[in-house]
Amino acid sequence: MLGVYAIDISKKVLIITLLIFAVLTASFTFTHNMQLSNFLELERADTLENVERVQNSVATEQGYLDYIVQDWACWDDTYQFIDDKNQEYINVDLQNQTLAGINVNVMIFVNNSGEVVYIKSVDTHTAEEMPVSDDLLAMIKDGSLLTTGEEDLISGFVLLEEDPMFISCHPILTTTYEGPSKGTLIFGRYFDDELLDSFKRVTRSSLLMYRADENMPTDFQTKIKNASENPDRIIVEPLNEDQIAGYFGLKDIKGNLALLIRADFQRELYQHGERTLSYMYWFLILTGLMTGVGVKFALDKLFISRLVEIDDFVTKVRSEKDLSKRLDLKDNDELYRLSREINGMLNDIYLAEQEVKAQAREKKVLLDSLNELVVFVSPELKIIWANKAALEYMNMDLESAMGVCLKATPGISGPLVEFMYLEHIFTGREKKSGEFTAKDGKVWFVQATPVTDDQGKIIGVLQTCRDVTERKESEKLLQEKQVAEVANRTKSEFLANMSHELRTPLNSIIGFSDLLYEKIYGDLNEKQLKAVGNISRSGKHLLNLINDILDLSKVEAGKLELEYKEFELSSKLNSIKNLLSPIADRKMIEVQIRVDESLNTIRADEARFAQIMYNLLDNAIKFSKENGLVKIEAKRKGDMVEIKVKDYGIGIKVEDQSKLFKPFSQVASFSSKKVQGTGLGLALVKQIVNLHGGYVWFNSRIGKGSTFAFTIPINGNKRTEGDGEVESSNRSETA
């Protein structure tokens, strides 16, 4: 019978050991493959980011050329040169050194008839004149590089026989961006090997570039179709075990694929991850195998055979109910002590069992009610017990945690062992505590208290560990918030002071330029009169900008005070309409005003109210189409007045709507050179409405127009509580 039991238990232990090893092996294999896949994704993401840096460098070069050609094309001197071809303009502005200084290889002036007025081509490195490409002249002749209107822009690449070229074409307009267009100004920059080398240096990558109209290596040929169908897409593909490449295309001025570029990078991230995972995988497999064999042998030799003997004895005593029998085991260990005490426990086994269960429940309830990690360890640093929070953090149950060395436990060993130096507590006999920042960034408050018996001997250490990361982060955020508020107040006060300092000389400039324009000091010729008028208009535009900055700074600094008084709402709205009617008439835009009959007068700051309406109506007119319609509606909502300004213009993209109401921030359509603006108007609208105790909201759809609305108290006399948040929506209905 004993042999049968021994064989059964031994088999069970073997099966369990093999099962655990199989589960661990499967887990290690799955984890290895999953982590390897993660490294592939990380490598791809890193490659995409590096390739985007190369794309940004190329886009920056094209953007610079677009900016330079616009600066030259929208210039009164260029506008005049197309007509009179004056030599002074050539001598002063069209020198070889000028083109070399702005990194432009080719500059071509073409009039509206398609005739080349002036052409120059230089080497940007030596500033020496060089022949103009015949391909460029052919494209001018067939009209590919000629703009067709005041808003027509051409930007991209052209494939010349010599090298690819960045090209940018802009209609020739006046300095104030007014027409009619006198022709086209064409700037070109060769995309040669030296420029490609500069991109390599800037992006720290290896680059290869091939034209779409020439033979390519095999790997480029396999990507040409994808790049032609979607030139903006980046194709990432490993070249070999050591390198990975990112391919992307560049379009010509007609939208076709012109160039295909490959950026090569070392696969250091993936290779390092693969090696690390392989080492870890085989180490864990070997460790699991050795541990399983050792555990199986130890259990069979030291535990199972003796446990079977104890089991047989207890079974025999229970069946015979003979408490006089004794179990005699060798070796002075736990099983031996168990055999020695088992006879004394038989009589009151039931009471002892109930007492143990009660104590276990009491201890479990007490420990599990704590949020802190609590662990009690022996002088050998082995876990005697731990509460629920500590077991969950270690991802272990109490049975498997007991007897485990604290240094080998996952997660909790760092703050409790490395920081506290528990060995010193057993010798120093003093409680220790402090804060510890773990490798994962968490901050812990840890405390270790020695526990003694009645004789004063230390029998273990009670350790607690509390996660104080959130409290530390809250303290840090509060500190940063206070610093940011001080910096914001300082910025607002600085802007307010500087705006005051700038307005004084600017008013003098405007005043004296107006006196000159009115010929108070004598007659001026037509060119002088035009220049003085430009000075006056520019000065007034700058003064308006400074006034907006001053108003915004006053609000942010808390220095803007409202002057409340009653005024007629309908009359004020009509006066704003009349003030902006010249702008509306130029675009033949109709402005309609509708005010509820119950709204006669309101109490607010009249000047600031006019400033709100001026900004909203001015924006609606600016971004409406010609022969369009702008509606202003005012109606009562309880003790508030709601005013809406609706246009049927270009609308605002969803991704750009978050930029509204932020100082100096303009959406893409707003920031176009077709419309002047500073980005301060809507920010001031929000601040002034908030000061009145109201709030602002808007909705917009691309191509359908926008509605900006606000509410303020009808009989306001002080700012109400609240920050007046801005709301946005993309509702299908129109307001």
Side-chain angles (χ1 to χ4, degrees), residues 325-377:
K325 292 183 178 296
R326 296 291 181 270
L327 177 63
D328 186 18
L329 292 180
K330 298 179 180 179
D331 295 332
N332 187 16
D333 56 12
E334 288 82 359
L335 292 179
Y336 170 77
R337 290 192 291 271
L338 176 63
S339 67
R340 189 183 62 187
E341 298 294 332
I342 197 168
N343 291 317
M345 296 174 59
L346 289 176
N347 291 331
D348 52 353
I349 187 70
Y350 177 78
L351 295 177
E353 183 182 36
Q354 295 303 314
E355 183 179 354
V356 169
K357 288 182 178 180
Q359 291 176 352
R361 285 194 300 269
E362 183 176 322
K363 181 175 69 174
K364 186 176 185 301
V365 170
L366 177 63
L367 294 176
D368 291 347
S369 65
L370 300 175
N371 292 326
E372 292 86 351
L373 312 184
V374 181
V375 180
F376 183 60
V377 297

Side-chain angles (χ1 to χ4, degrees), residues 79-145:
Y79 198 78
Q80 181 180 353
F81 174 70
I82 296 299
D83 289 332
D84 58 17
K85 304 176 183 61
N86 64 86
Q87 188 64 35
E88 181 181 358
Y89 181 88
I90 297 175
N91 294 338
V92 174
D93 300 310
L94 304 181
Q95 296 299 311
N96 293 356
Q97 291 78 5
T98 304
L99 270 68
I102 61 175
N103 285 328
V104 172
N105 291 105
V106 177
M107 175 186 288
I108 305 175
F109 296 78
V110 184
N111 61 22
N112 283 330
S113 301
E115 298 176 353
V116 176
V117 176
Y118 184 82
I119 188 168
K120 181 179 283 291
S121 176
V122 301
D123 186 327
T124 57
H125 307 295
T126 63
E128 293 180 359
E129 199 157 343
M130 56 189 294
V132 179
S133 171
D134 292 335
D135 294 340
L136 275 181
L137 297 176
M139 282 187 277
I140 294 174
K141 187 175 181 180
D142 64 22
S144 300
L145 300 182

Side-chain angles (χ1 to χ4, degrees), residues 221-233 235 257:
Q221 292 176 4
T222 59
K223 311 300 181 301
I224 190 72
K225 181 177 179 180
N226 291 333
S228 298
E229 295 175 350
N230 190 358
D232 295 327
R233 180 188 172 199
I235 303 172
L257 181 67

Side-chain angles (χ1 to χ4, degrees), residues 155-166:
S155 179
F157 290 90
V158 293
L159 295 178
L160 305 181
E161 184 176 354
E162 300 84 0
D163 279 306
M165 176 176 281
F166 291 92

Side-chain angles (χ1 to χ4, degrees), residues 257-541:
L257 181 67
L259 300 171
L260 191 61
I261 296 179
R262 188 184 83 189
D264 300 341
F265 307 94
Q266 294 296 320
R267 304 187 66 183
E268 297 175 350
L269 179 63
Y270 174 79
Q271 291 173 341
H272 177 73
E274 185 181 35
R275 285 195 300 270
T276 302
L277 290 174
S278 297
Y279 293 155
M280 185 180 298
Y281 175 80
W282 291 113
F283 172 78
L284 292 175
I285 292 294
L286 182 59
T287 301
L289 180 61
M290 295 178 64
T291 301
V293 173
V295 169
K296 176 65 172 61
F297 177 81
L299 288 175
D300 285 342
K301 183 70 176 177
L302 304 175
F303 180 73
I304 294 175
S305 60
R306 301 172 70 204
L307 182 61
V308 169
E309 186 177 352
I310 294 174
D311 179 66
D312 290 341
F313 171 77
V314 173
T315 302
K316 187 175 182 180
V317 170
R318 183 178 180 183
S319 62
E320 297 179 359
K321 298 182 180 180
D322 184 2
L323 301 179
S324 63
K325 292 183 178 296
R326 296 291 181 270
L327 177 63
D328 186 18
L329 292 180
K330 298 179 180 179
D331 295 332
N332 187 16
D333 56 12
E334 288 82 359
L335 292 179
Y336 170 77
R337 290 192 291 271
L338 176 63
S339 67
R340 189 183 62 187
E341 298 294 332
I342 197 168
N343 291 317
M345 296 174 59
L346 289 176
N347 291 331
D348 52 353
I349 187 70
Y350 177 78
L351 295 177
E353 183 182 36
Q354 295 303 314
E355 183 179 354
V356 169
K357 288 182 178 180
Q359 291 176 352
R361 285 194 300 269
E362 183 176 322
K363 181 175 69 174
K364 186 176 185 301
V365 170
L366 177 63
L367 294 176
D368 291 347
S369 65
L370 300 175
N371 292 326
E372 292 86 351
L373 312 184
V374 181
V375 180
F376 183 60
V377 297
S378 67
E380 294 78 25
L381 299 185
K382 292 183 178 180
I383 297 176
I384 298 175
W385 48 257
N387 72 339
K388 181 179 179 181
L391 293 172
E392 290 178 350
Y393 191 82
M394 294 185 292
N395 197 22
M396 302 173 69
D397 55 29
L398 182 59
E399 183 178 354
S400 58
M402 291 176 61
V404 176
C405 182
L406 187 62
K407 292 184 178 181
T409 56
I412 202 172
S413 61
L416 289 181
V417 179
E418 298 173 10
F419 179 71
M420 298 305 296
Y421 298 105
L422 295 180
E423 295 88 346
H424 298 172
I425 297 178
F426 289 98
T427 57
R429 308 176 68 87
E430 293 181 359
K431 179 173 69 175
K432 292 185 64 177
S433 63
E435 288 184 355
F436 171 80
T437 302
K439 294 179 180 179
D440 59 0
K442 287 188 176 182
V443 181
W444 298 89
F445 176 79
V446 293
Q447 179 173 289
T449 305
V451 178
T452 59
D453 57 13
D454 295 337
Q455 288 74 35
K457 180 182 178 182
I458 296 179
I459 59 174
V461 173
L462 182 66
Q463 303 156 96
T464 60
C465 189
R466 185 169 69 253
D467 187 354
V468 295
T469 305
E470 292 184 1
R471 178 172 64 81
K472 288 293 183 181
E473 290 178 350
S474 298
E475 293 174 356
K476 182 180 179 181
L477 288 175
L478 179 61
Q479 203 171 36
E480 292 175 349
K481 179 176 178 292
Q482 292 171 344
V483 173
E485 288 175 348
V486 171
N488 189 53
R489 286 195 299 270
T490 304
K491 180 265 294 181
S492 298
E493 292 173 359
F494 171 77
L495 286 176
N497 292 334
M498 284 304 299
S499 297
H500 277 297
E501 294 296 327
L502 288 171
R503 285 202 303 178
T504 301
L506 192 56
N507 280 324
S508 297
I509 293 172
I510 295 171
F512 283 114
S513 62
D514 286 344
L515 290 175
L516 290 172
Y517 190 78
E518 294 171 3
K519 301 180 181 180
I520 301 299
Y521 301 118
D523 291 336
L524 299 175
N525 59 41
E526 182 180 350
K527 191 172 183 179
Q528 291 171 334
L529 199 61
K530 184 177 181 181
V532 171
N534 287 338
I535 293 173
S536 177
R537 285 192 297 273
S538 299
K540 291 173 182 176
H541 178 71

